Amino acid sequence: MKVSIILVEIEGGVNLGLITRIAKNFNVNDIRLVNPKLSDEDWELAEIFASKAKDTLEKVKIYDTLEETLKDLEIIFATS
């Protein structure tokens, strides 16, 4: 089963970096960002906090809408 993490309008590079590390530790297949609120500095911080999961961070996909992000998924769970 393919597992994806979808983050809607994420803010903060530290958040993204730490989520990326967790995703790699739990063998998440991909991370999808919907309309991220990240500056260039945030992306640099994400790379630092991703640590050994930089390869996962480099594969992050960015989408404009949540609907577009969900198109290929069969089962969806949400939380906030």
Side-chain angles (χ1 to χ4, degrees):
M1 177 188 300
K2 180 180 173 181
V3 177
S4 301
I5 293 177
I6 300 169
L7 304 167
V8 179
E9 296 187 353
I10 186 170
E11 296 179 5
V14 175
N15 291 336
L16 180 57
L18 294 176
I19 291 168
T20 302
R21 285 173 64 179
I22 291 168
K24 184 165 182 132
N25 287 339
F26 286 93
N27 296 316
V28 171
N29 298 92
D30 68 326
I31 299 173
R32 303 172 184 201
L33 307 181
V34 179
N35 195 26
K37 306 294 184 188
L38 300 169
S39 67
D40 290 340
E41 291 175 18
D42 288 325
W43 283 102
E44 291 172 14
L45 274 174
E47 189 172 316
I48 292 167
F49 280 85
S51 188
K52 295 180 181 177
K54 288 180 187 175
D55 59 324
T56 303
L57 182 62
E58 291 171 358
K59 297 175 188 173
V60 166
K61 298 173 188 167
I62 299 176
Y63 296 83
D64 293 324
T65 66
L66 182 59
E67 292 77 15
E68 181 183 353
T69 308
L70 302 175
K71 279 184 183 178
D72 64 328
L73 302 177
E74 294 178 26
I75 300 172
I76 302 165
F77 298 93
T79 186
S80 64

